[in-house]
Amino acid sequence: MSTSSLQCLKLDSNLRKRAAEALLPPSKLKGILYIILMAEGKVITLIRPKKHSIHPADIHITLNTIHSPSVLNSPASSSWIPLCLPKYNSSSFVNAYISFLCRNNEVASSLSQLQSEDANSKPTLTTQEQMVPPYMASTKLCIALVCISGGGDVESIRGWCEAATTRLEKDGMLDAIINACSSGQIEYSVGDLGIPGLRHFIYKSRSQVQITTPTFEDPYGYLEDRRRLITLYQILHDAIHAKSGQEGTLKLQYIRTEKESVMGWITQPFELYIALSPMLPKAAAVGAANAVARWVKKEEAKLFLRDAPVF
């Protein structure tokens, strides 16, 4: 489902702000276009020039490149890669310096060391699968710093990235991000909202051009169930935006099936797609949508990247 937006990592707003400030490049460093700090395939912060922003499509290309097997599984901790960002310039390439600040095997090694130091009070675990917490075992933890440049001296840019990484480490920001990822603080469930009958949702902030969504839970534990839900979301999206030959756009669309009811709703500040129990009436769906919007508003400092610094 294409929402033309980016998804940010759920994170303490003060930690996000401190990380962004540590990544502001000096004015004498020429050629830098964008600086992206990401974890788990989501953006932590993004620093850009004052004169223009980066299109979500170009961010997705960058994130997909980082997670390609040839890059992610490379033994190198950093590398230069040519990228074409079509929304920036479809007829040329930019240079992306990708530095992995943390990968799953590195966290496992750190945890192993901690286990050894505490061997007298706890039994030593002998396999990597045992040492990695369940949350991290289910997904490969990856924290990366990406510096995209349109030119400039590559050695100067690499040297600055290494210095920025050192600042993140010395000030404890990298450890705080790793802890948030490993303890599950970066995700939330529909249960955290406490809305009866709510099963899932996708919320898009139209001003921030960012989305937030909870983890998939029962009854969407299986891939085929998730695909069914996303297909319904896509139908709602197409109807609201008149993507399937409709005469005009809609503000609200509601569909009920045997397995769930779904509703899409677009307003000036947000776009929302929710899934609920099929037993609930449409009025309850509207009430649930309003409750989701209120909860996101309350938590938006953690859910969205706001007021990122520019240079």
Side-chain angles (χ1 to χ4, degrees), residues 151-215:
D153 179 58
V154 294
E155 289 302 321
S156 297
I157 293 174
R158 178 166 60 183
W160 176 83
C161 287
E162 291 174 352
T165 299
T166 300
R167 286 195 295 273
L168 292 175
E169 293 172 341
K170 288 182 64 176
D171 293 346
M173 288 175 278
L174 183 57
D175 283 343
I177 293 170
I178 291 173
N179 179 65
C181 293
S182 61
S183 62
Q185 298 174 36
I186 62 171
E187 295 193 349
Y188 62 93
S189 69
V190 291
D192 295 331
L193 279 72
I195 301 173
L198 181 65
R199 294 179 175 180
H200 191 262
F201 67 86
I202 298 176
Y203 178 102
K204 175 181 177 179
S205 169
R206 300 183 70 190
S207 60
Q208 304 289 344
V209 199
Q210 298 170 34
I211 67 167
T212 182
T213 184
T215 55

Side-chain angles (χ1 to χ4, degrees), residues 59-304:
I59 296 178
H60 287 300
I61 289 173
T62 304
L63 296 181
N64 287 339
T65 300
I66 293 171
H67 285 84
S68 64
S70 61
V71 176
L72 185 61
N73 298 328
S74 171
S77 61
S78 61
S79 56
W80 283 98
I81 294 177
L83 278 181
C84 179
L85 303 180
K87 297 299 184 180
Y88 171 72
N89 189 340
S90 61
S91 61
S92 66
F93 286 86
V94 296
N95 299 315
Y97 179 74
I98 302 172
S99 176
F100 290 105
L101 312 188
C102 177
R103 281 184 280 194
N104 210 47
N105 57 336
E106 297 165 358
V107 176
S109 177
S110 298
L111 290 171
S112 177
Q113 183 178 357
L114 290 173
Q115 292 283 354
S116 298
E117 292 173 354
D118 199 26
N120 293 331
S121 58
K122 295 182 180 180
T124 301
L125 301 177
T126 57
T127 67
Q128 180 168 312
E129 288 75 18
Q130 287 175 308
M131 289 183 289
V132 178
Y135 171 78
M136 290 164 54
S138 63
T139 179
K140 189 168 186 178
L141 176 61
C142 170
I143 301 174
L145 174 62
V146 185
C147 183
I148 298 175
S149 66
D153 179 58
V154 294
E155 289 302 321
S156 297
I157 293 174
R158 178 166 60 183
W160 176 83
C161 287
E162 291 174 352
T165 299
T166 300
R167 286 195 295 273
L168 292 175
E169 293 172 341
K170 288 182 64 176
D171 293 346
M173 288 175 278
L174 183 57
D175 283 343
I177 293 170
I178 291 173
N179 179 65
C181 293
S182 61
S183 62
Q185 298 174 36
I186 62 171
E187 295 193 349
Y188 62 93
S189 69
V190 291
D192 295 331
L193 279 72
I195 301 173
L198 181 65
R199 294 179 175 180
H200 191 262
F201 67 86
I202 298 176
Y203 178 102
K204 175 181 177 179
S205 169
R206 300 183 70 190
S207 60
Q208 304 289 344
V209 199
Q210 298 170 34
I211 67 167
T212 182
T213 184
T215 55
F216 281 108
E217 298 177 297
D218 186 66
Y220 304 114
Y222 292 99
L223 182 59
E224 61 184 88
D225 297 314
R226 299 179 190 180
R227 285 175 172 167
R228 183 186 71 249
L229 177 60
I230 296 300
T231 298
L232 288 172
Y233 282 162
Q234 187 68 63
I235 293 172
L236 293 173
H237 180 272
D238 290 351
I240 286 174
H241 293 277
K243 298 287 187 179
S244 300
Q246 298 94 331
E247 293 183 359
T249 59
L250 301 173
K251 291 188 178 295
L252 189 145
Q253 179 79 335
Y254 176 81
I255 300 173
R256 178 184 292 171
T257 69
E258 292 182 355
K259 295 183 179 294
E260 61 260 318
S261 61
V262 292
M263 189 179 77
W265 182 26
I266 186 169
T267 69
Q268 185 174 358
F270 65 82
E271 193 171 327
L272 177 62
Y273 303 89
I274 63 171
L276 307 105
S277 165
M279 305 300 293
L280 293 177
K282 184 177 179 180
V286 173
N290 278 296
V292 169
R294 288 193 296 270
W295 182 86
V296 172
K297 180 67 176 177
K298 183 179 67 174
E299 300 290 329
E300 64 180 355
K302 294 180 181 178
L303 300 175
F304 300 127

